[in-house]
Amino acid sequence: MKIFLVGYMGCGKSSLGRKLAKSAGMRFVDMDAIIEEREGAAISDIFRYEGEEYFRHKERELIEELALADDDVVISTGGGAPTWQDNMQRMNSIGKSFYLRRTAQQIASRLSPHGRQKRPKLRGLNDEELVTFMTTNMAEREPYYAKASHCIDCLSNSDEEVIRKILSIVREDE
Ligand code: S3P
């Protein structure tokens, strides 16, 4: 089984994914981290020197690579991956995708200064600009995230509850 976690930057895909993989005894893959490792560069530098399109191709290559893996994997995707080409359909054909939904307000209040700095799209925004940008950008991305096999409300649920929900859905469908 391949479980893709999708959702906006800072919604908790990586930290929740790591916990989910641990409790399910599955391998954990953080797409951003793998791309950074392979490219030998931070995401912000990849965007700066190679451009966003190059990064999106790397994301897609990695999705195709994961399709070929024969073990169970929890995959934390980058927030923009669902919006590129037919990535959502492709992820749904490989496994199940879960949209971790949070509000812009909630994400903004969780993001550390480093969390903003390392994300090229959020870099340099003050508190007010951050919420304004996220609200607009999230609304644009919502139709892509909505293509996920399941939408999980993270606003009113703890990580543990979200993990329980995901696991029960995965087991039910098996
Ligand atoms: C991006 C999200 C980031 C990273 C890159 C672009 C986006 O991943 O892939 O900065 O366009 O939303 P996270 O969602 O893990 O922050």
Side-chain angles (χ1 to χ4, degrees), residues 38-76:
R38 289 183 179 173
E39 295 294 305
I43 304 268
S44 52
D45 286 332
I46 302 174
F47 267 63
R48 188 160 161 209
Y49 297 111
E50 306 287 349
E52 178 167 354
E53 198 164 324
Y54 175 87
F55 176 74
R56 298 294 171 208
H57 283 290
K58 293 289 148 195
E59 286 186 313
R60 179 57 183 244
E61 275 172 32
L62 188 49
I63 291 172
E64 294 304 339
E65 206 180 300
L66 288 161
L68 300 175
D70 55 12
D71 58 346
D72 294 332
V73 197
V74 174
I75 301 131
S76 157

Side-chain angles (χ1 to χ4, degrees), residues 111-125:
L111 265 184
S112 65
H114 172 67
R116 286 183 211 191
Q117 201 53 28
K118 71 172 188 183
R119 292 177 169 96
K121 289 178 188 290
L122 307 181
R123 217 171 201 176
L125 301 179

Side-chain angles (χ1 to χ4, degrees), residues 7-11 13-14 30 32 43-44 47 52 55-56 59 76-81 83 118-121 137 141 145:
Y8 203 72
M9 290 176 263
C11 74
K13 300 176 295 276
S14 300
D30 183 324
D32 282 349
I43 304 268
S44 52
F47 267 63
E52 178 167 354
F55 176 74
R56 298 294 171 208
E59 286 186 313
S76 157
T77 65
T83 67
K118 71 172 188 183
R119 292 177 169 96
K121 289 178 188 290
N137 193 218
R141 289 180 169 190
Y145 295 148

